[in-house]
Coordinates of all heavy atoms in Angstrom, one line a residue:
M1 N 12.2 -4.6 17.7 CA 12.2 -5.7 16.8 C 10.9 -5.5 15.9 O 9.8 -5.4 16.4 CB 12.0 -7.0 17.6 CG 12.1 -8.3 16.8 SD 13.6 -8.6 15.9 CE 13.1 -9.8 14.8
I2 N 11.2 -5.5 14.7 CA 10.1 -5.3 13.7 C 9.6 -6.7 13.2 O 10.4 -7.6 13.0 CB 10.6 -4.4 12.5 CG1 9.5 -4.1 11.6 CG2 11.8 -5.0 11.8 CD1 9.8 -2.9 10.6
S3 N 8.3 -6.8 13.1 CA 7.8 -8.1 12.8 C 7.9 -8.4 11.3 O 8.1 -7.5 10.5 CB 6.3 -8.2 13.1 OG 5.5 -7.4 12.3
E4 N 7.8 -9.7 10.9 CA 7.9 -10.1 9.5 C 6.7 -9.5 8.7 O 6.9 -9.1 7.6 CB 7.8 -11.6 9.4 CG 9.1 -12.3 9.9 CD 10.3 -11.9 9.2 OE1 10.3 -11.8 7.9 OE2 11.3 -11.7 9.9
T5 N 5.6 -9.3 9.4 CA 4.5 -8.7 8.7 C 4.7 -7.3 8.4 O 4.5 -6.8 7.3 CB 3.2 -8.9 9.5 OG1 2.9 -10.2 9.8 CG2 2.0 -8.3 8.8
S6 N 5.4 -6.6 9.3 CA 5.7 -5.1 9.1 C 6.7 -5.0 8.0 O 6.6 -4.1 7.1 CB 6.2 -4.5 10.3 OG 5.3 -4.5 11.4
K7 N 7.7 -5.9 7.9 CA 8.7 -5.9 6.8 C 8.0 -6.1 5.5 O 8.3 -5.5 4.5 CB 9.7 -7.0 7.1 CG 10.7 -6.6 8.1 CD 11.8 -7.8 8.2 CE 12.6 -7.8 9.5 NZ 13.3 -9.0 9.7
A8 N 7.1 -7.1 5.5 CA 6.4 -7.4 4.2 C 5.5 -6.1 3.8 O 5.5 -5.9 2.6 CB 5.5 -8.6 4.4
W9 N 4.9 -5.4 4.7 CA 4.2 -4.2 4.3 C 5.1 -3.2 3.8 O 4.8 -2.5 2.8 CB 3.4 -3.6 5.5 CG 2.0 -4.2 5.7 CD1 1.6 -4.9 6.8 CD2 0.9 -4.1 4.9 NE1 0.3 -5.3 6.6 CE2 -0.1 -4.8 5.5 CE3 0.7 -3.4 3.7 CZ2 -1.4 -4.8 4.9 CZ3 -0.6 -3.5 3.1 CH2 -1.6 -4.2 3.7
I10 N 6.3 -3.0 4.4 CA 7.3 -2.0 3.9 C 7.7 -2.4 2.5 O 7.8 -1.5 1.6 CB 8.4 -1.9 4.9 CG1 8.0 -1.3 6.2 CG2 9.6 -1.1 4.3 CD1 9.0 -1.5 7.4
Q11 N 8.0 -3.6 2.3 CA 8.4 -4.1 1.0 C 7.3 -3.8 -0.1 O 7.5 -3.3 -1.1 CB 8.8 -5.6 1.0 CG 9.4 -6.1 -0.2 CD 10.7 -5.4 -0.6 OE1 11.4 -4.9 0.3 NE2 11.0 -5.3 -1.9
A12 N 6.1 -4.2 0.3 CA 4.9 -4.0 -0.6 C 4.8 -2.5 -0.9 O 4.5 -2.1 -2.0 CB 3.7 -4.5 0.1
A13 N 4.9 -1.6 0.1 CA 4.8 -0.2 -0.1 C 5.8 0.3 -1.0 O 5.5 1.2 -1.9 CB 4.9 0.5 1.3
K14 N 7.1 -0.1 -0.9 CA 8.1 0.3 -1.8 C 7.8 0.0 -3.3 O 7.9 0.8 -4.2 CB 9.4 -0.4 -1.5 CG 10.1 0.3 -0.3 CD 11.5 -0.4 -0.2 CE 12.2 0.0 1.1 NZ 13.3 -0.9 1.5
I15 N 7.3 -1.3 -3.5 CA 7.0 -1.7 -4.8 C 5.8 -0.9 -5.4 O 5.9 -0.4 -6.5 CB 6.7 -3.2 -4.8 CG1 7.9 -4.0 -4.5 CG2 6.1 -3.7 -6.2 CD1 7.6 -5.5 -4.1
L16 N 4.8 -0.8 -4.6 CA 3.5 -0.1 -5.1 C 3.6 1.4 -5.1 O 2.9 2.0 -5.8 CB 2.3 -0.6 -4.2 CG 2.0 -2.1 -4.4 CD1 1.0 -2.5 -3.4 CD2 1.5 -2.3 -5.8
A17 N 4.6 2.0 -4.4 CA 4.8 3.4 -4.5 C 5.4 3.7 -5.9 O 5.1 4.8 -6.5 CB 5.8 3.9 -3.4
E18 N 6.2 2.8 -6.4 CA 6.8 3.0 -7.8 C 5.9 2.5 -8.9 O 5.9 3.1 -10.0 CB 8.2 2.3 -7.8 CG 9.2 2.9 -6.9 CD 10.5 2.4 -7.1 OE1 10.7 1.5 -8.0 OE2 11.4 2.9 -6.4
N19 N 5.2 1.4 -8.7 CA 4.4 0.8 -9.7 C 3.1 0.3 -9.1 O 3.0 -0.8 -8.7 CB 5.2 -0.3 -10.3 CG 4.4 -1.0 -11.4 OD1 3.3 -0.5 -11.9 ND2 4.8 -2.2 -11.9
P20 N 2.1 1.2 -9.1 CA 0.8 0.7 -8.5 C 0.1 -0.4 -9.3 O -0.8 -1.0 -8.7 CB -0.1 2.0 -8.6 CG 0.6 2.9 -9.6 CD 2.1 2.5 -9.6
A21 N 0.6 -0.8 -10.4 CA 0.0 -1.9 -11.2 C 0.7 -3.2 -10.8 O 0.3 -4.3 -11.3 CB 0.1 -1.6 -12.7
A22 N 1.7 -3.2 -10.0 CA 2.4 -4.4 -9.6 C 1.5 -5.4 -8.9 O 0.6 -5.0 -8.1 CB 3.6 -4.1 -8.8
R23 N 1.8 -6.7 -9.1 CA 1.0 -7.7 -8.3 C 1.8 -8.1 -7.1 O 2.8 -8.7 -7.1 CB 0.8 -8.9 -9.2 CG 0.0 -8.7 -10.5 CD -1.5 -8.7 -10.2 NE -2.0 -10.1 -10.2 CZ -3.2 -10.4 -9.7 NH1 -4.0 -9.5 -9.2 NH2 -3.6 -11.7 -9.7
V24 N 1.2 -7.6 -5.9 CA 1.9 -7.9 -4.6 C 1.0 -8.7 -3.7 O -0.1 -8.3 -3.5 CB 2.3 -6.5 -4.0 CG1 2.9 -6.8 -2.6 CG2 3.2 -5.7 -4.9
R25 N 1.6 -9.8 -3.2 CA 0.8 -10.6 -2.3 C 0.5 -9.9 -1.0 O 1.2 -9.0 -0.5 CB 1.7 -11.8 -1.9 CG 1.7 -12.9 -2.9 CD 0.5 -13.8 -2.7 NE 0.5 -14.9 -3.7 CZ -0.6 -15.6 -4.0 NH1 -1.8 -15.3 -3.4 NH2 -0.6 -16.5 -4.9
C26 N -0.7 -10.3 -0.4 CA -1.1 -9.7 0.9 C 0.0 -9.9 1.9 O 0.4 -11.0 2.2 CB -2.3 -10.4 1.3 SG -2.9 -10.1 3.0
P27 N 0.5 -8.9 2.5 CA 1.5 -9.0 3.6 C 1.1 -9.7 4.8 O 1.9 -10.2 5.6 CB 2.0 -7.6 3.8 CG 1.6 -6.8 2.7 CD 0.3 -7.5 2.2
E28 N -0.2 -9.7 5.1 CA -0.8 -10.2 6.3 C -0.8 -11.7 6.3 O -0.4 -12.5 7.2 CB -2.2 -9.7 6.6 CG -2.2 -8.2 6.8 CD -1.7 -7.8 8.2 OE1 -1.7 -8.6 9.1 OE2 -1.4 -6.6 8.3
K29 N -1.5 -12.3 5.2 CA -1.8 -13.7 5.2 C -1.3 -14.3 3.9 O -1.5 -15.6 3.7 CB -3.3 -13.9 5.3 CG -3.8 -13.4 6.7 CD -5.3 -13.6 6.8 CE -5.8 -13.0 8.1 NZ -7.3 -13.0 8.1
A30 N -0.8 -13.6 2.9 CA -0.5 -14.1 1.6 C -1.7 -14.8 1.0 O -1.5 -15.8 0.2 CB 0.8 -15.0 1.7
D31 N -2.9 -14.3 1.2 CA -4.1 -15.0 0.7 C -4.6 -14.4 -0.6 O -5.3 -15.0 -1.3 CB -5.2 -15.0 1.8 CG -5.4 -13.6 2.3 OD1 -4.7 -12.6 2.0 OD2 -6.4 -13.4 3.1
G32 N -4.2 -13.2 -0.8 CA -4.7 -12.5 -2.1 C -3.7 -11.6 -2.5 O -2.5 -11.7 -2.2
F33 N -4.1 -10.6 -3.4 CA -3.2 -9.6 -3.9 C -3.7 -8.2 -3.4 O -4.9 -8.1 -3.2 CB -3.1 -9.6 -5.4 CG -2.4 -10.8 -5.9 CD1 -3.0 -12.0 -6.4 CD2 -1.0 -10.8 -6.0 CE1 -2.3 -13.0 -6.9 CE2 -0.3 -11.9 -6.5 CZ -1.0 -13.0 -6.9
L34 N -2.8 -7.3 -3.3 CA -3.1 -5.9 -2.9 C -3.7 -5.2 -4.1 O -3.1 -5.2 -5.2 CB -1.9 -5.2 -2.3 CG -1.3 -5.8 -1.1 CD1 -0.1 -5.0 -0.7 CD2 -2.3 -5.8 0.1
T35 N -4.8 -4.5 -3.9 CA -5.3 -3.6 -4.9 C -5.0 -2.2 -4.4 O -4.9 -1.9 -3.2 CB -6.8 -3.8 -5.1 OG1 -7.5 -3.6 -3.8 CG2 -7.2 -5.2 -5.6
V36 N -4.8 -1.3 -5.3 CA -4.3 0.1 -5.1 C -5.4 1.1 -5.6 O -5.9 0.9 -6.7 CB -3.0 0.3 -5.8 CG1 -2.5 1.7 -5.6 CG2 -2.0 -0.7 -5.3
H37 N -5.7 2.0 -4.7 CA -6.4 3.2 -5.3 C -5.9 4.5 -4.6 O -5.4 4.4 -3.4 CB -7.9 3.1 -5.2 CG -8.5 3.3 -3.8 ND1 -8.6 2.2 -2.9 CD2 -8.9 4.4 -3.2 CE1 -9.1 2.7 -1.8 NE2 -9.3 3.9 -1.9
D38 N -5.8 5.5 -5.3 CA -5.3 6.8 -4.9 C -6.5 7.8 -4.5 O -7.5 7.8 -5.2 CB -4.4 7.5 -5.9 CG -3.2 6.7 -6.2 OD1 -2.8 5.9 -5.4 OD2 -2.6 6.9 -7.3
E39 N -6.3 8.5 -3.5 CA -7.3 9.5 -3.1 C -6.6 10.9 -2.8 O -5.6 10.9 -2.1 CB -8.0 9.1 -1.8 CG -9.1 8.1 -2.1 CD -10.0 7.8 -1.0 OE1 -10.1 8.6 -0.1 OE2 -10.7 6.8 -1.1
A40 N -7.2 11.9 -3.4 CA -6.7 13.3 -3.1 C -6.9 13.6 -1.7 O -7.8 13.1 -1.0 CB -7.4 14.2 -4.0
I41 N -6.0 14.5 -1.2 CA -6.2 15.0 0.2 C -6.8 16.4 0.0 O -6.1 17.3 -0.6 CB -4.9 15.1 0.9 CG1 -4.3 13.7 1.0 CG2 -5.0 15.7 2.3 CD1 -2.9 13.6 1.6
P42 N -8.0 16.7 0.5 CA -8.5 18.0 0.3 C -7.6 19.1 0.9 O -7.1 19.0 2.0 CB -9.9 18.0 1.1 CG -10.2 16.5 1.2 CD -8.9 15.8 1.2
G43 N -7.4 20.1 0.1 CA -6.6 21.3 0.5 C -5.1 21.0 0.5 O -4.3 21.8 0.9
N44 N -4.7 19.9 -0.1 CA -3.3 19.6 -0.2 C -2.9 19.0 -1.5 O -2.8 17.8 -1.7 CB -2.9 18.6 0.9 CG -1.4 18.4 1.1 OD1 -0.6 18.9 0.3 ND2 -0.9 17.9 2.2
P45 N -2.8 19.9 -2.5 CA -2.6 19.4 -3.9 C -1.3 18.7 -4.2 O -1.2 18.1 -5.3 CB -2.8 20.7 -4.7 CG -2.4 21.8 -3.8 CD -2.8 21.3 -2.4
T46 N -0.3 18.9 -3.3 CA 1.0 18.3 -3.6 C 1.1 16.9 -3.0 O 2.1 16.2 -3.2 CB 2.2 19.1 -3.1 OG1 2.1 19.2 -1.7 CG2 2.1 20.5 -3.7
R47 N 0.1 16.4 -2.3 CA 0.2 15.1 -1.7 C -1.1 14.3 -2.1 O -2.1 14.9 -2.3 CB 0.3 15.2 -0.2 CG 1.5 15.9 0.3 CD 2.7 15.0 0.5 NE 3.9 15.8 0.8 CZ 4.4 15.8 2.1 NH1 3.9 15.1 3.0 NH2 5.5 16.5 2.3
F48 N -1.0 13.0 -2.0 CA -2.2 12.2 -2.1 C -2.0 10.9 -1.3 O -0.8 10.6 -1.0 CB -2.6 11.9 -3.5 CG -1.6 11.1 -4.3 CD1 -1.7 9.7 -4.4 CD2 -0.6 11.7 -5.0 CE1 -0.7 9.0 -5.1 CE2 0.4 11.0 -5.8 CZ 0.3 9.6 -5.8
E49 N -3.0 10.2 -1.0 CA -2.9 9.0 -0.2 C -3.1 7.8 -1.2 O -4.0 7.8 -2.0 CB -4.0 8.9 0.9 CG -3.8 9.9 2.0 CD -4.8 9.9 3.0 OE1 -6.0 9.7 2.7 OE2 -4.5 10.2 4.2
R50 N -2.2 6.8 -1.0 CA -2.3 5.6 -1.8 C -2.7 4.5 -0.9 O -2.0 4.1 0.0 CB -1.0 5.3 -2.5 CG -1.0 4.0 -3.3 CD 0.1 4.0 -4.3 NE -0.3 4.8 -5.4 CZ 0.6 5.2 -6.4 NH1 1.8 4.9 -6.4 NH2 0.1 6.0 -7.3
Y51 N -4.0 3.9 -1.1 CA -4.5 2.9 -0.3 C -4.1 1.5 -0.9 O -4.3 1.3 -2.0 CB -6.0 3.0 -0.2 CG -6.5 4.1 0.7 CD1 -6.5 5.4 0.2 CD2 -6.9 3.9 2.0 CE1 -6.9 6.4 1.0 CE2 -7.3 4.9 2.8 CZ -7.3 6.2 2.3 OH -7.7 7.2 3.1
L52 N -3.6 0.6 0.0 CA -3.3 -0.8 -0.4 C -4.2 -1.6 0.4 O -4.2 -1.7 1.6 CB -1.8 -1.1 0.0 CG -0.7 0.0 -0.3 CD1 0.6 -0.6 0.2 CD2 -0.7 0.4 -1.7
V53 N -5.0 -2.4 -0.3 CA -6.1 -3.3 0.3 C -6.0 -4.7 -0.2 O -6.0 -4.9 -1.5 CB -7.5 -2.7 0.1 CG1 -8.5 -3.5 0.9 CG2 -7.5 -1.2 0.5
C54 N -5.9 -5.7 0.6 CA -5.9 -7.1 0.2 C -7.4 -7.4 -0.4 O -8.4 -7.1 0.3 CB -5.6 -8.0 1.3 SG -5.8 -9.7 0.9
D55 N -7.4 -8.0 -1.5 CA -8.7 -8.3 -2.1 C -9.4 -9.5 -1.5 O -10.5 -9.8 -1.9 CB -8.6 -8.4 -3.7 CG -7.6 -9.5 -4.1 OD1 -7.1 -10.2 -3.2 OD2 -7.4 -9.7 -5.3
V56 N -8.7 -10.2 -0.6 CA -9.3 -11.4 0.0 C -9.7 -11.1 1.5 O -10.8 -11.2 1.9 CB -8.4 -12.6 -0.1 CG1 -9.0 -13.8 0.7 CG2 -8.2 -13.0 -1.6
C57 N -8.7 -10.7 2.3 CA -8.9 -10.6 3.8 C -9.2 -9.1 4.1 O -9.6 -8.9 5.3 CB -7.8 -11.1 4.6 SG -6.3 -10.2 4.6
G58 N -8.9 -8.2 3.2 CA -9.2 -6.8 3.5 C -8.2 -6.1 4.3 O -8.4 -4.9 4.7
A59 N -7.0 -6.7 4.6 CA -5.9 -6.0 5.3 C -5.6 -4.8 4.5 O -5.6 -4.8 3.2 CB -4.7 -6.9 5.4
R60 N -5.3 -3.7 5.2 CA -5.0 -2.4 4.5 C -3.9 -1.6 5.1 O -3.6 -1.7 6.3 CB -6.3 -1.6 4.3 CG -6.9 -1.3 5.7 CD -8.3 -0.8 5.5 NE -8.3 0.6 5.1 CZ -9.1 1.1 4.2 NH1 -10.0 0.4 3.5 NH2 -9.1 2.4 3.9
N61 N -3.4 -0.7 4.3 CA -2.4 0.2 4.7 C -2.5 1.4 3.8 O -3.0 1.4 2.7 CB -1.0 -0.4 4.6 CG -0.2 -0.3 5.9 OD1 0.0 0.8 6.5 ND2 0.2 -1.4 6.4
V62 N -2.0 2.6 4.3 CA -2.1 3.8 3.5 C -0.7 4.4 3.4 O 0.0 4.5 4.4 CB -3.0 4.8 4.2 CG1 -3.2 6.1 3.3 CG2 -4.4 4.2 4.5
L63 N -0.3 4.8 2.2 CA 0.9 5.6 2.0 C 0.6 7.0 1.7 O -0.3 7.3 1.0 CB 1.7 5.0 0.8 CG 1.9 3.5 0.7 CD1 2.6 3.2 -0.6 CD2 2.7 3.1 1.9
L64 N 1.4 7.9 2.3 CA 1.3 9.3 1.9 C 2.3 9.6 0.8 O 3.5 9.3 0.9 CB 1.6 10.2 3.1 CG 1.5 11.7 2.9 CD1 0.1 12.0 2.5 CD2 1.9 12.5 4.1
M65 N 1.8 10.0 -0.4 CA 2.6 10.1 -1.6 C 2.7 11.6 -1.9 O 1.9 12.4 -1.7 CB 1.9 9.4 -2.7 CG 1.6 8.0 -2.5 SD 3.1 6.9 -2.6 CE 3.4 7.1 -4.4
R66 N 3.8 11.9 -2.6 CA 4.0 13.2 -3.2 C 3.6 13.1 -4.7 O 3.9 12.2 -5.3 CB 5.5 13.6 -3.1 CG 5.9 14.2 -1.8 CD 7.4 14.4 -1.9 NE 8.0 14.3 -0.5 CZ 8.0 15.3 0.4 NH1 7.6 16.4 0.0 NH2 8.6 15.1 1.5
E67 N 3.0 14.2 -5.2 CA 2.8 14.3 -6.6 C 4.1 14.3 -7.4 O 5.0 14.9 -7.0 CB 2.0 15.5 -7.0 CG 0.6 15.5 -6.5 CD -0.4 14.6 -7.2 OE1 0.1 13.9 -8.2 OE2 -1.5 14.6 -6.9
Ligands
ZN101 ZN1 -5.0 -10.8 2.8

């Protein structure tokens, strides 16, 4: 059984994987919006990590992205 919070993170990840500028509510508490920043993975030029962080409570998740 997958929790509602997990479903909300999956939904947020789908939206932000396609459009990092989208305004997505915090999946944990719906208290703020997720901010996105990308970080390169040293030694792995075909992938990068996309961090999703709530601007209010700091809830976070990381997506592994392909270039
Ligand atoms: Zn939050």
Side-chain angles (χ1 to χ4, degrees):
M1 184 65 195
I2 185 165
S3 71
E4 289 302 315
T5 302
S6 296
K7 284 185 198 164
W9 272 115
I10 291 165
Q11 188 61 29
K14 279 185 190 164
I15 294 166
L16 292 168
E18 292 191 359
N19 178 13
R23 297 277 281 166
V24 177
R25 279 275 180 200
C26 172
E28 298 282 339
K29 299 178 183 170
D31 51 355
F33 288 97
L34 296 178
T35 57
V36 176
H37 74 271
D38 293 340
E39 281 192 18
I41 301 171
N44 193 345
T46 64
R47 301 271 175 108
F48 60 93
E49 290 177 326
R50 174 158 289 166
Y51 287 79
L52 317 179
V53 185
C54 174
D55 58 4
V56 176
C57 73
R60 56 193 281 140
N61 233 303
V62 185
L63 308 179
L64 184 61
M65 303 284 293
R66 282 174 208 275
E67 291 286 1

